[in-house]
Every structure is written in C-alpha cells, then in structure tokens.
Amino acid sequence: SNTAIADFSQSWTNSLYFYESGYTGRLGFKFYKKKSALTKWQDYVSPMIFYKYLSFDPLFFDTQYENLERHQGMYLKRKRSKFGFEFLWGKIYPVSKTFNIELYYGVGLRATSAERTDIWRIDTLPYGNNPGTDTVFLNYEDKNFYIRPAIHAGLKLRFNY
C-alpha cells in the first residue's frame, strides 16, 4: 500500500491518487532489426497491448475553503479500467556481458472506463445564525468512457545472467 506517500500528500489537490490500488498487465513482442557492424546499439520495434485496473475503497475526503471556516467532506469511491495498444521503438546498448542500457519511446491509444460513486456529503458551517452540520445522502453514480493518446518513454537498466 502507499500509506506513507498518501499521508505525506494529504494537502495536495490530487492526494487521492496515492490511495489507489490495482494491477496492470502488458503483452508485447520485440522485433529486432539487423545489427550494423558500425555500432553496438541494437534497434527494435515492439507492438504491445495493455490493461490496467485502478480503484480505491470507499474513502472520506475532507476539504476546507481557505477564506471561510466551512468544511465539506465527501464519502466516495472510484474505479477505472484502462486498456489500449502502443508501438514502442527502442535501442539497446550492451555495456558488458551482463548489463544493458535500453532507451525506448512509443505512441498509441488508451481507452478509459471510469466509474465514480459519491455516497454522501457532509457540510460544516460554524458561522451565522444556524451553525451546524448538514449531511446529504447522494448515492450519485457517474460512468464515463473516453479515448486518449498514449505516450510512453523510458530508460531500462537490464542485468542479464
């Protein structure tokens, strides 16, 4: 779990990101180009499909408005599924018999299916003639589906045996 990171990031606007858990899977195949005698670099192209599932269990998320003493809290849960395909282009440099450096980049499309559920909201108003707390049961559910471009780049340090 990401408990330490989630505690550290509680004041951030995207702090719910670190409460997510899930799994991911990638399936790809590398097609290597013929290696040139002039260089040690090995080039490849790799088509790939992937799937990622992310969610967090029902969680109370509290906010406070800066200039007011008003607090608002939401009890909510989220689920997301991402799937798509990518094409990666890469170069592998053999530093030694047991160590390689791999640079890669890629593009593709990613589809996301998201489900948001707001279970209840609580407002605390400590000012005015009627200070107190108001709880509203929402049971609001929102489902979205969207497609976005996927851009991927990275560096791998590989140890061979």
Side-chain angles (χ1 to χ4, degrees):
S1 178
N2 295 327
T3 307
I5 297 173
D7 292 342
F8 173 73
S9 66
Q10 281 202 329
S11 64
W12 301 356
T13 57
N14 65 342
S15 62
L16 290 179
Y17 179 78
F18 297 113
Y19 287 93
E20 287 183 321
S21 60
Y23 55 89
T24 187
R26 292 178 176 271
L27 180 63
F29 191 79
K30 290 182 180 176
F31 296 98
Y32 291 96
K33 294 181 181 176
K34 190 172 182 178
K35 194 173 187 179
S36 169
L38 302 175
T39 181
K40 284 183 139 185
W41 289 96
Q42 175 71 55
D43 294 336
Y44 70 86
V45 176
S46 176
M48 179 183 300
I49 58 172
F50 63 89
Y51 176 78
K52 183 186 286 189
Y53 174 79
L54 296 166
S55 69
F56 60 80
D57 294 329
L59 174 71
F60 184 76
F61 186 67
D62 189 31
T63 59
Q64 179 177 2
Y65 297 96
E66 287 196 22
N67 295 330
L68 303 171
E69 293 183 18
R70 176 182 177 188
H71 289 268
Q72 184 178 67
M74 296 282 286
Y75 190 61
L76 45 85
K77 64 181 177 180
R78 302 285 187 262
K79 295 178 188 176
R80 290 186 292 156
S81 292
K82 298 179 177 191
F83 49 93
F85 68 91
E86 292 178 336
F87 286 97
L88 297 179
W89 292 270
K91 291 182 170 286
I92 300 172
Y93 185 80
V95 177
S96 69
K97 271 184 148 179
T98 58
F99 181 66
N100 295 328
I101 296 174
E102 182 177 340
L103 302 169
Y104 63 92
Y105 60 94
V107 295
L109 284 177
R110 176 178 56 211
T112 302
S113 172
E115 181 180 316
R116 302 181 309 169
T117 305
D118 297 336
I119 301 167
W120 53 267
R121 182 184 73 222
I122 186 167
D123 288 314
T124 304
L125 307 169
Y127 55 86
N129 294 335
N130 292 325
T133 302
D134 182 29
T135 303
V136 178
F137 291 94
L138 302 170
N139 288 326
Y140 171 76
E141 191 171 297
D142 178 334
K143 293 183 180 182
N144 287 310
F145 180 82
Y146 47 91
I147 297 175
R148 292 184 176 162
I151 300 172
H152 198 137
L155 167 75
K156 291 182 186 176
L157 305 176
R158 302 192 95 130
F159 295 97
N160 302 326
Y161 55 91

